[in-house]
């Protein structure tokens, strides 16, 4: 029935077509001596500026198609163009050694990329790939050659070793019916973008994929994580029928998306949306969101030399709250750090940024940064229903310090109000549970907050010690692993000791198969990408709490994630 290759489900959907490879023109650095250093430096500067403009355009395009969170990937690309560790050697080679701008730039990029690629850290290896992509864009402009833009010469299934975010952002869904990559994990940047763009994708398939001849008939199932090579006509027809049925089902579910999600036994569940900026709120509400369960504030800080002041932040938060028309707005304070670089924040490079100065750790280290954000939020809370959530909390001391910062901000904002200016605004305060220590200490942490929101992406990564972007350990990085489910259960149990509610805002929240398990564990709020809302609401309406609790108990008794998934998939 045709050869079947198995990888990791990265973006749902079924696609059939001939396999296609990217065609990218190679760039050759011209030989010869450089012109005057001033001329060569000017050529480098011009190419850097043009590339920055082009990347900013790519960013805007992804923001419009997929959202600010996905677009923030390109902010790191822009930082390459301002990195003195790269620019310094290139300028010195031009000024001191008389090299051409093209040769000096290529040498500097090659040296830095080779250094990063040689490290064991997967994050730094991925940065080396991105750096080479950006470096080629600059080089093309220096030598006045067409900027290498990967493209398909005919419609079909894109087959590649891996994709950079820039590669994926430029994809045309009319040409790229599906994506299959030999490397990468289901939560890599490219996979996230593929989901946001609605392109079915399977990743981490292995080197056999790269042996396919151009034009081989290929069928991918982005939910099963399967790629079929040269399937017979009846299999192709069956897959195409399945794709049509899936789309018809989703269309039916979208008709009821704005209705409440209530279980068969009458328990209401809040189904909210994750957004990256106020401009995404209206679409989320239209897709059925009961509120915003994760408002990522990073969008305000990205791609700019100066940090936003309080008034700019307040305007953005207020715009989001007003668009919700009384629905709750849950704002996460700045979740940045060395793994999410921001130009306005000067930070030392870290060997392992995922375990370094990020999230609330950075906020407490930079009290002026956290204070400004909290004051802006307190002003909005005076007029709108607001929840504030602190990211990456690992200890009770961190939460206590964050609460002190919030109370100081409240007092400062309160001093601004005229005497008799009204009651103190009510703000629900919570934390992201994404560090295992927070889950294990939930009963204690619950004494100092009103809710928990579980970020299953990071919680899984930290619990399983498996980088979510590394295809070699992608099978470990499954949020339905019983170990992760037990951490969720412990969190809910701890929250219940103080009558606190628990939500989930990671990728697992948008998985309709997982919804009954999460409800059975005691989760009462689910927040996800807007396109998943209709299906998840349907899943909530189709179950009772008794059945959900029985399902959760069975899932906790499983030994592996595969067992859990098999149980959920069975009729």
């Amino acid at each position: 029935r045709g050869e079947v290759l198995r990888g990791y489900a990265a973006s749902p959907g079924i696609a059939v077509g001939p396999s296609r490879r990217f065609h990218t023109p190679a760039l050759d650095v011209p030989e010869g001596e450089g012109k005057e250093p001033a001329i060569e430096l000017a050529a480098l500067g011009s190419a850097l500026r043009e590339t920055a403009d082009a990347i900013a355009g790519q960013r805007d395009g992804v923001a419009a198609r997929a959202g600010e969170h996905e677009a923030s990937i390109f902010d790191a690309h822009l930082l390459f163009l301002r990195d003195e560790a790269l620019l310094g050697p290139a300028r010195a080679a031009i000024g001191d050694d008389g090299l051409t701008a093209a040769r000096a730039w290529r040498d500097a990029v090659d040296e830095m990329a080779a250094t990063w690629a040689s490290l064991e850290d997967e994050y730094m290896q991925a940065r080396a790939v991105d750096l080479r992509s950006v470096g080629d864009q600059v080089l093309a402009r220096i030598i006045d050659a067409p900027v290498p833009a990967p493209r398909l010469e005919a419609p079909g299934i894109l087959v590649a070793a891996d994709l950079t975010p820039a590669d994926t952002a430029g994809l045309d869904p009319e040409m790229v019916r599906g994506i299959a990559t030999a490397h990468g994990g289901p939560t890599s940047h490219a996979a996230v973008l593929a989901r946001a763009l609605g392109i079915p994708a399977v990743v981490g398939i292995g080197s056999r994929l790269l042996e396919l001849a151009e034009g081989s008939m290929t069928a991918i199932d982005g939910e099963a994580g399967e790629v079929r090579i040269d399937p017979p006509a009846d299999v192709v027809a069956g897959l195409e029928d399945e794709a049509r049925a899936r789309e018809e089902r989703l269309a039916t579910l979208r008709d009821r998306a704005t209705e409440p999600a209530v279980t068969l036994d009458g328990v209401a569940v809040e189904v909210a949306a994750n957004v990256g900026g106020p401009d995404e709120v209206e679409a989320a509400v239209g897709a059925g969101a009961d509120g915003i369960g994760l408002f990522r504030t990073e969008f305000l800080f990205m791609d700019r030399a100066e940090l936003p002041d309080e008034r700019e932040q307040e305007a953005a938060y207020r715009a989001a709250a007003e668009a919700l028309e009384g629905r709750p707005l849950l704002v996460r304070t700045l979740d940045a750090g060395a793994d999410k670089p921001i130009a306005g924040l000067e930070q030392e490079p870290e060997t392992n940024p995922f375990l370094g100065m990020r999230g609330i750790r950075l906020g407490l280290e930079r009290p002026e940064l956290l204070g400004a954000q909290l004051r802006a939020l307190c002003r909005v809370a005076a007029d709108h229903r607001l929840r504030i959530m602190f990211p990456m909390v690992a200890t009770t001391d961190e939460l206590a310090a964050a609460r002190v910062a919030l109370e100081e901000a409240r007092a400062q904002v309160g001093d601004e109000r005229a005497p008799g200016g009204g009651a103190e605004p009510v703000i629900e305060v919570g934390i992201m549970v994404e560090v295992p220590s927070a889950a294990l200490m939930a009963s204690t942490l619950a004494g100092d907050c009103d809710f928990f929101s579980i970020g299953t992406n990071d919680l899984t990564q930290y619990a399983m010690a498996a980088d979510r972007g590394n295809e070699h350990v992608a099978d470990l990085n499954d949020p339905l692993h019983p170990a992760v489910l037990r951490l969720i259960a412990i969190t809910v149990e701890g929250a219940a000791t103080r009558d606190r509610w628990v939500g989930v805002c990671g990728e697992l929240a948008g998985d309709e198969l997982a919804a009954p398990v999460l409800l059975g564990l005691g989760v009462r709020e689910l927040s996800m990408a807007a396109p998943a809302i209709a299906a998840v609401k349907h899943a909530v309406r189709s179950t009772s709490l008794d059945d959900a609790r029985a399902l959760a108990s069975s899932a906790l008794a499983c030994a592996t994630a595969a067992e859990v998934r098999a149980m959920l998939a069975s009729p």
Side-chain angles (χ1 to χ4, degrees):
R1 310 299 289 172
E3 182 180 4
V4 178
L5 304 180
R6 290 181 171 81
Y8 300 103
S11 181
I14 292 171
V16 181
S19 64
R20 303 294 187 196
R21 298 292 184 90
F22 267 153
H23 293 273
T24 306
L27 292 174
D28 295 319
V29 176
E31 298 296 331
E33 297 182 1
K35 301 177 182 177
E36 291 292 327
I39 296 175
E40 296 292 344
L41 288 170
L44 175 59
S46 177
L48 290 168
R49 289 189 296 274
E50 290 176 13
T51 302
D53 289 344
I55 291 175
Q58 288 179 324
R59 187 193 191 288
D60 291 344
V62 171
R65 297 167 72 188
E68 280 290 338
H69 177 59
E70 287 73 22
S72 67
I73 294 168
F74 294 93
D75 295 309
H77 293 191
L78 289 168
L79 289 181
F80 289 143
L81 305 178
R82 299 192 290 269
D83 190 343
E84 281 302 318
L86 184 63
L87 298 179
R91 289 169 178 152
I94 292 171
D96 298 340
D97 302 333
L99 296 186
T100 63
R103 174 57 62 190
W105 175 255
R106 170 56 66 82
D107 289 350
V109 169
D110 284 348
E111 182 175 356
M112 181 176 283
T115 299
W116 287 348
S118 68
L119 299 176
E120 294 184 3
D121 186 275
E122 294 283 345
Y123 171 76
M124 298 307 293
Q125 292 175 0
R127 280 174 62 82
V129 175
D130 287 356
L131 173 58
R132 290 193 183 280
S133 173
V134 173
D136 281 349
Q137 295 177 54
V138 175
L139 179 60
R141 291 180 170 92
I142 293 174
I143 63 177
D144 197 24
V147 175
R151 66 185 187 279
L152 297 192
E153 297 185 341
I157 306 299
L158 172 60
V159 171
D162 204 352
L163 296 178
T164 67
D167 291 338
T168 315
L171 298 181
D172 178 358
E174 295 297 318
M175 293 288 285
V176 181
R177 297 173 183 169
I179 297 170
T181 68
H183 309 302
T187 55
S188 65
H189 286 156
V192 170
L193 281 172
R195 283 193 293 275
L197 296 173
I199 301 175
V202 180
V203 301
I205 297 164
S207 57
R208 168 69 183 97
L209 178 73
L210 302 180
E211 299 172 7
L212 296 185
E214 179 84 359
S216 299
M217 184 55 65
T218 306
I220 72 171
D221 185 334
E223 291 181 88
E226 293 182 347
V227 176
R228 293 179 179 271
I229 310 304
D230 293 324
D234 62 325
V235 171
V236 171
L239 290 170
E240 291 175 340
D241 287 345
E242 187 176 339
R244 281 191 293 272
R246 180 180 182 275
E247 183 52 40
E248 290 170 1
R249 173 180 178 271
L250 289 175
T252 300
L253 298 183
R254 285 193 287 266
D255 290 340
R256 294 192 60 198
T258 57
E259 299 175 16
V262 181
T263 64
L264 293 172
D265 41 1
V267 176
V269 176
E270 188 175 305
V271 179
N274 300 338
V275 300
D279 56 327
E280 298 178 32
V281 172
E282 184 177 351
V285 171
D290 299 325
I292 298 303
L294 174 60
F295 183 95
R296 302 179 177 97
T297 58
E298 294 78 53
F299 83 98
L300 278 167
F301 294 78
M302 298 292 194
D303 192 22
R304 54 191 299 165
E306 297 180 357
L307 301 178
D309 62 23
E310 288 179 40
R311 296 300 176 184
E312 182 181 349
Q313 292 191 57
E314 179 186 345
Y317 308 146
R318 190 174 295 280
E322 289 174 351
L324 285 168
E325 299 179 336
R327 300 174 182 86
L329 171 64
L330 193 160
V331 178
R332 181 179 67 189
T333 60
L334 182 63
D335 186 16
D339 66 314
K340 299 176 184 175
I342 291 177
L345 292 175
E346 295 182 1
Q347 287 185 265
E348 294 289 331
E350 296 181 305
T351 302
N352 193 336
F354 289 99
L355 301 180
M357 191 59 64
R358 57 178 297 204
I360 192 60
R361 302 169 186 176
L362 179 64
L364 294 175
E365 185 189 57
R366 310 281 181 93
E368 73 290 347
L369 184 72
L370 181 60
Q373 188 165 40
L374 293 176
R375 286 191 295 273
L377 289 167
C378 285
R379 292 191 187 96
V380 176
D383 306 306
H384 299 279
R385 187 178 174 188
L386 187 69
R387 298 165 176 167
I388 295 177
M389 177 166 67
F390 298 110
M392 286 295 294
V393 171
T395 69
T396 55
D397 288 341
E398 288 173 341
L399 176 55
R403 290 299 305 247
V404 168
L406 176 58
E407 293 311 311
E408 290 176 351
R410 277 183 190 264
Q412 292 164 353
V413 170
D415 290 343
E416 298 172 1
R417 297 199 302 268
E424 185 82 6
V426 176
I427 302 175
E428 286 186 82
V429 179
I431 66 168
M432 286 276 284
V433 175
E434 46 199 332
V435 180
S437 63
L440 297 172
M441 294 293 292
S443 60
T444 302
L445 290 166
D448 211 13
C449 63
D450 302 307
F451 67 88
F452 297 128
S453 186
I454 301 173
T456 51
N457 298 0
D458 271 335
L459 183 62
T460 304
Q461 174 173 242
Y462 292 135
M464 303 303 295
D467 180 354
R468 57 184 180 162
N470 183 346
E471 75 272 11
H472 300 297
V473 294
D475 56 332
L476 293 173
N477 209 304
D478 191 327
L480 282 175
H481 192 284
V484 181
L485 296 180
R486 289 176 192 179
L487 288 172
I488 295 174
I490 290 169
T491 302
V492 173
E493 291 166 5
T497 63
R498 299 299 184 102
D499 196 25
R500 310 306 193 204
W501 61 268
V502 178
V504 172
C505 62
E507 291 273 334
L508 191 63
D511 184 342
E512 59 181 305
L513 282 178
V517 175
L518 294 176
L519 297 187
L521 292 173
V523 171
R524 292 296 178 266
E525 186 254 13
L526 300 167
S527 191
M528 63 208 67
I533 290 173
V536 170
K537 280 193 169 184
H538 174 72
V540 172
R541 298 187 193 110
S542 302
T543 192
S544 68
L545 279 192
D546 284 343
D547 289 343
R549 291 188 183 108
L551 190 64
S553 179
S554 297
L556 290 172
C558 290
T560 66
E563 287 182 26
V564 175
R565 290 195 176 277
M567 180 184 67
L568 297 181
S570 63

